[in-house]
Amino acid sequence: GPKLGMLTKMTKKNQLAMAVFSKGLGLSGQQMASLATLASSTGREMNDYATEVASFAINMGDKFGINAKLISQDIGAMMDVFAIFRRLGPKVMSSIAVFTRKLGFEAKELTGVIDKFDNFEDAAQSASKLNQVFGIQIDAMQQMKEQDPAKRLSNLQQAFAATGKSVENMSRQELKLLASTSGLSEKAAALAFSQKGLGMSYQDVMDGAEESEGKQLSQAEAMKELSDSIKKTFGSGGGKQFKGF
């Protein structure tokens, strides 16, 4: 459709770069189109935006011991949800990807947290139920105003930790209620509100993103890193070589 014309114009002189970014970051054609849309909506060139995504994925992966492709794939999944994540940018999206991966689930799990606290009526209802059932005291207005879904989850974790309760000792029904009220799946809730999950600091992840922002890679540096990862996947030199699909 209309995206084709935009993509053709953007990639005409950058076909090699786009191929390396797509393959190296593990992004589908649809996700590359979403990347182009996000770049255009923020007045950025696609190449610059893709380089920034790659730089954060690589730097954050090195810092937190997570494969850069997993981080970029989570960013790609977030870019597909344009209405929710378009204003956050690669820095925040990479922080969300790292935080959720460290907790043990994917970033797309947070869409439910957004739905539960995205208008005052829903936010007030969720906050009231969490307080009544679990003694969790959360500021509904603050949750609604917070645009970063991982920060919303972090706020919930801190409020839950203050109750002194343990998700490990909850009944099946209690866990189901905690999950549905907070907007998470039962598996994600069990991980996020576990003792290990409560020990995760989103602030530490955001601090890591700040550090990574100060070490932004150039397009050439990012492509070199991504090209090396592609070679590791498909082999290079000697013996039988990968020749295409």
Side-chain angles (χ1 to χ4, degrees), residues 6-16 18 46:
M6 178 174 65
L7 283 172
T8 302
K9 182 179 179 181
M10 285 182 170
T11 61
K12 189 173 182 180
K13 297 180 179 180
N14 302 287
Q15 292 180 11
L16 174 61
M18 291 302 101
M46 185 179 180

Side-chain angles (χ1 to χ4, degrees), residues 152-167:
R152 286 186 182 181
L153 175 58
S154 179
N155 292 339
L156 286 170
Q157 287 177 304
Q158 292 174 35
F160 179 80
T163 67
K165 289 183 170 62
S166 170
V167 74

Side-chain angles (χ1 to χ4, degrees), residues 59 79 160 170 233:
N59 287 336
M79 290 190 297
F160 179 80
M170 282 185 176
T233 302

